[in-house]
Amino acid sequence: MTHYQPLDSDTVLDYIAEVRPQFGPSRSEEIGDGNLNLVFRVFGTQERSIIVKQALPYLRVAGEGWPLTLDRSRIEVEALTLHERLAPGLTPRIERRDDAMHLIIMEDLRDHAVWRTCLVEGRHVEGAATSVGRFCARTLLGTSDILMNAAERKSLIPIFVNPELCAITEDLVFTAPYIDAESNVLDDSSFDIHEQLKADPLLRERAAELKFVFMTRGEAVIHGDLHTGSVMAADNDTRVMDPEFAFYGPMGFDIGNLFANFAFARLRHQQLGNSAFVARIDEYEMDFWSAFAEEVRALWPADEPWRDRFLSNLLADSARMASMEMIRRLVGLARVKDLESLPLDQRSAAKQLALDGARDLALGRRVTSHEDLWNRATRREARV
Ligand code: SR1
Ligand code: MG
């Protein structure tokens, strides 16, 4: 197929038969549960399977009324390739790219689960938090002027110009939660939260300021949507996927997203009274940041005298960005199962705690440590 056409579970078999006849495609299922794309699992001979991920010319969750660039598939391939180079073994393997069809054929991580699903179900996965911490250090430092040759870094900037997907984030994360935006999705657990947001000029001012940071501070090729649903996890085998939002942006956006999504998992299990899993999530947060900081220290060039300052500034940025991710998931179009699958009373209570934590991170004093960030994000008692 030389011209773009969206596939379905029949035509994807024809497509694979054409481009990989030896695979023997026999059956397929559409398994996409994300907001943007089509995702097919295609089965071949000998129990083999592959994933075909194809961009649609619109935002899947919103429908054809919200057009969206097909170029996101190219960005995703470019980012996955770069990530594999910088953090080998921590991304899904690409088997083929097809720029005309705006699709990627990838290995099927059938033995893995979406990490968010594991967190929601209270299922421990060994090594995930540590691996994601290392992934962040290697990809963020590795595409920044701290480690990457200046000419190469500059040559990457045009490859990762991603205006339409950035505009989604600029709108959904930094703008819509604070106004009566059409994209907001409100229910009994969030009407009051939204009223509080609209009545909070300081928070709105901070969001506008952070939006400017997001739009202008091109520190590294960031993943751009690094929540726990962008991680496939199996014990001791973690893969970071879906980097279609990648662009040269502020590192704290990726790190903050992870802190925020760990906080959602914790708030969920705190509401459910699962203290053992709450303690696990505290470990994840600690493992994530420790692995990140340790890897940064190991990679940091000996002739750059500001390593500790870098980490402390990044943590402060991450806290502010975490607050934006926490808030948008309470009232926005894209919400999180960690909270949404709670019964109404617990959902409302968790959302109020999330808002209080986020407000503290957004407007309170600069964080002094990752523990300080975590304590304030989750409203838990200070640890000794
Ligand atoms: C409507 S698109 C909404 C969200 O889905 C993606 O996963 C990003 O998080 C984006 O903000
Ligand atoms: Mg995604």
Side-chain angles (χ1 to χ4, degrees), residues 34-37 53 76 165 223-227 229-230 241-245 329:
N35 295 323
L36 276 80
N37 304 298
K53 178 171 180 182
E76 180 163 351
L165 276 78
H223 179 287
D225 196 24
L226 192 42
H227 53 81
S230 294
M241 61 175 183
D242 286 359
E244 64 212 313
F245 283 78
R329 298 287 189 182

Side-chain angles (χ1 to χ4, degrees), residues 271-285:
Q271 287 299 316
L272 294 173
N274 296 337
S275 53
F277 204 70
V278 165
R280 267 288 187 211
I281 298 165
D282 290 342
E283 279 174 30
Y284 294 159
E285 180 276 328

Side-chain angles (χ1 to χ4, degrees), residues 182-237:
E182 251 182 63
S183 60
N184 288 332
V185 177
L186 302 173
D187 67 8
D188 287 345
S189 70
S190 52
F191 286 122
D192 181 58
I193 300 277
H194 190 229
E195 291 306 311
Q196 294 177 57
L197 290 171
K198 287 191 298 178
D200 196 331
L202 288 179
L203 204 46
R204 192 165 166 184
E205 184 185 349
R206 178 69 82 200
E209 181 189 338
L210 290 169
K211 180 176 175 177
F212 184 74
V213 170
F214 178 81
M215 295 175 78
T216 56
R217 207 187 307 150
E219 296 172 340
V221 175
I222 67 168
H223 179 287
D225 196 24
L226 192 42
H227 53 81
T228 53
S230 294
V231 178
M232 297 295 286
D235 282 337
N236 301 309
D237 187 3

Side-chain angles (χ1 to χ4, degrees), residues 35-87:
N35 295 323
L36 276 80
N37 304 298
L38 293 170
V39 183
F40 300 95
R41 169 173 285 142
V42 180
F43 294 89
T45 50
Q46 299 161 355
E47 302 292 306
R48 289 181 303 172
S49 59
I50 47 172
I51 294 295
V52 178
K53 178 171 180 182
Q54 186 180 36
L56 286 165
Y58 53 86
L59 187 66
R60 179 177 183 164
V61 70
E64 297 189 27
W66 190 325
L68 191 58
T69 178
L70 292 166
D71 188 48
R72 63 191 191 264
S73 183
R74 179 194 64 79
I75 297 266
E76 180 163 351
V77 173
E78 297 285 1
L80 284 170
T81 306
L82 188 59
H83 289 167
E84 182 57 33
R85 188 182 114 199
L86 296 169

Side-chain angles (χ1 to χ4, degrees), residues 255-269:
I255 305 285
N257 258 264
L258 284 158
F259 279 123
N261 282 275
F262 292 152
F264 291 136
R266 192 184 200 278
L267 289 166
R268 169 188 181 76
H269 289 285

